[in-house]
Amino acid sequence: MRQTGRLAQLMQALRCLPGVGPKSAQRMAFHLLLGDRHSAQVLAHALSAAIEHIVHCRQCRTLTEGELCAVCADPKRDGSQLCIVETPAEVFAIDQSTGFKGRFFVLNGRLSPLDGIGPDELRLDLLERRLQSGEVKELILATNTTVEGEATAHYISEMARHFGVRPTRIAYGVPFGGELEYVDGATLAHAFNGRKEF
Amino acid sequence: MRQTGRLAQLMQALRCLPGVGPKSAQRMAFHLLLGDRHSAQVLAHALSAAIEHIVHCRQCRTLTEGELCAVCADPKRDGSQLCIVETPAEVFAIDQSTGFKGRFFVLNGRLSPLDGIGPDELRLDLLERRLQSGEVKELILATNTTVEGEATAHYISEMARHFGVRPTRIAYGVPFGGELEYVDGATLAHAFNGRKEF
């Protein structure tokens, strides 16, 4: 006997989730069908509704239900500071913990020529239009510290300078509460070279 | 800015999956919406279809799309051997690896009076009817070695004896390829006490 039909299809479909292999998919499928089926139904509906209604913000490219996301639609946010992040999840993270009151631009990726991801795929044309408008004074680069993230930050900082906008980069160093002994070498080197007056 | 609307609903709904907390749910939601949306759509449809069409087999209580599962519908399976398992996943596991050609009965749980799970919830009335029919000669107990699993095996073995059916229990011992040094004490004790002529 093999797993066929709709059960096998569900297991296969669950594998599109991040970090879910055949074993986890099987466990999830049985959990959904043997447990509370109402929750499973709610999940199916929530997923369909999200796919249908959630789009990219026309201005900053984060995920939103309307034309503009909550940040872009808020007239109280400071348009002179623009923070560049790679993903919508990072918008939430920065918004929840930093007290930043400026605006965002979400790349939904990073420059990676080998994967065919260039300025067009990141919609840097939209970013260029915003820099051109003259409203932005400071461009805060919060891309990740991977090779591609650094290359992307470099490329965008050049764009900013071209339009007379000051590019800044968020600080990298020893995590708050971290002990030097357990910090990796690259982070420690960053922290050491980026030392400030005390 | 808070995560509201359909995105928040999707994150909340994803938490019904086993082992998925708030962070994983957020990661999954963004992955589904930022990645290939076709896969997400396929998942939503597969889940809806599975909920609608997958039911418990009328005879053995495993998950199936028809009235009878593939094992129960197969006239070539040997009805004199009946294997008792706790979940449909275990039917697949035993079927794929053991060469067992008898039939199954799935409890979809285990006796647990404190959680209100008694013989009625496990549909032991269906099992009783099968034992009564006289077709079953050997009842193979493959419940887990938890306290509840052992208690369930004990309860069902009494039922079997009542109907003149021989109850057997699958062997517990050192896993194949396992090294004694790394085997837990309870398993080792089982293996030692269950030793056989060599």
Side-chain angles (χ1 to χ4, degrees), chain A residues 35-189:
Chain A
D36 170 19
R37 288 213 179 184
H38 175 69
S39 304
Q41 192 75 68
V42 167
L43 173 57
H45 287 162
L47 186 51
S48 290
I51 294 165
E52 193 178 337
H53 293 102
I54 294 177
V55 294
H56 289 284
C57 171
R58 187 166 51 81
Q59 193 166 307
C60 80
R61 304 279 297 151
T62 194
L63 292 175
T64 177
E65 284 185 50
E67 279 241 308
L68 286 179
C69 71
V71 171
C72 288
D74 183 353
K76 290 203 291 289
R77 305 285 299 214
D78 177 7
S80 72
Q81 291 185 312
L82 186 66
C83 178
I84 310 289
V85 293
E86 292 183 18
T87 69
E90 288 156 4
V91 173
F92 289 120
I94 291 174
D95 221 72
Q96 274 168 12
S97 48
T98 65
F100 175 64
K101 289 293 168 219
R103 296 186 183 274
F104 291 94
F105 185 82
V106 182
L107 301 171
N108 290 307
R110 52 190 91 170
L111 289 176
S112 181
L114 287 178
D115 303 314
I117 299 173
D120 290 350
E121 282 69 28
L122 302 185
R123 298 303 308 270
L124 293 187
D125 55 317
L126 286 177
L127 178 60
E128 196 166 344
R129 222 178 298 159
R130 267 172 98 168
L131 294 176
Q132 227 159 12
S133 75
E135 193 194 3
V136 182
K137 303 299 172 204
E138 180 185 2
L139 192 84
I140 303 168
L141 294 156
T143 55
N144 290 311
T145 51
T146 54
V147 174
E148 291 95 346
E150 292 284 0
T152 308
H154 200 263
Y155 185 95
I156 294 175
S157 71
E158 291 298 316
M159 270 176 69
R161 284 197 191 87
H162 178 76
F163 292 104
V165 173
R166 183 168 67 103
T168 59
R169 185 98 169 97
I170 62 168
Y172 292 98
V174 177
F176 205 75
E179 295 204 48
L180 286 194
E181 189 179 346
Y182 304 112
V183 168
D184 66 291
T187 300
L188 201 53

Side-chain angles (χ1 to χ4, degrees), chain A residues 6 37 51 54 65 92, chain B residues 3 6 37 51 54 65:
Chain A
R6 293 192 173 89
R37 288 213 179 184
I51 294 165
I54 294 177
E65 284 185 50
F92 289 120
Chain B
Q3 290 164 21
R6 293 193 173 88
R37 288 215 180 182
I51 294 166
I54 294 177
E65 283 183 51

Side-chain angles (χ1 to χ4, degrees), chain B residues 82 84 139-143 152-154 156-157 167-170 172:
Chain B
L82 186 65
I84 310 288
L139 192 84
I140 302 168
L141 294 156
T143 54
T152 308
H154 199 264
I156 294 175
S157 71
T168 59
R169 185 100 169 95
I170 61 168
Y172 292 98

Side-chain angles (χ1 to χ4, degrees), chain A residues 1-7 9-10 13-14 16-20 26-28 30-34 37 39-44 46-56 63 65 70-71 77 87-89 91-92 95-96 108, chain B residues 1-7 9-10 13-14 16-20 26-28 30-34 37 39-44 46-56 63 65 70-71 77 87-89 91-92 95-96 108:
Chain A
M1 186 181 56
R2 275 172 47 249
Q3 290 165 20
T4 51
R6 293 192 173 89
L7 185 57
Q9 281 164 19
L10 175 58
L14 282 164
C16 78
L17 293 171
V20 174
Q26 180 180 315
R27 186 161 152 251
M28 286 178 170
F30 283 123
H31 183 93
L32 287 166
L33 293 171
L34 291 173
R37 288 213 179 184
S39 304
Q41 192 75 68
V42 167
L43 173 57
L47 186 51
S48 290
I51 294 165
E52 193 178 337
H53 293 102
I54 294 177
V55 294
H56 289 284
L63 292 175
E65 284 185 50
V71 171
R77 305 285 299 214
T87 69
V91 173
F92 289 120
D95 221 72
Q96 274 168 12
N108 290 307
Chain B
M1 185 182 58
R2 276 172 47 247
Q3 290 164 21
T4 51
R6 293 193 173 88
L7 184 56
Q9 282 164 18
L10 175 58
L14 283 165
C16 80
L17 294 170
V20 175
Q26 179 179 316
R27 185 160 155 251
M28 286 178 170
F30 283 123
H31 184 95
L32 286 166
L33 294 170
L34 291 172
R37 288 215 180 182
S39 304
Q41 192 75 69
V42 167
L43 173 56
L47 186 51
S48 290
I51 294 166
E52 193 177 339
H53 293 101
I54 294 177
V55 294
H56 289 284
L63 293 175
E65 283 183 51
V71 171
R77 305 285 299 214
T87 70
V91 173
F92 289 120
D95 222 72
Q96 275 169 12
N108 291 306

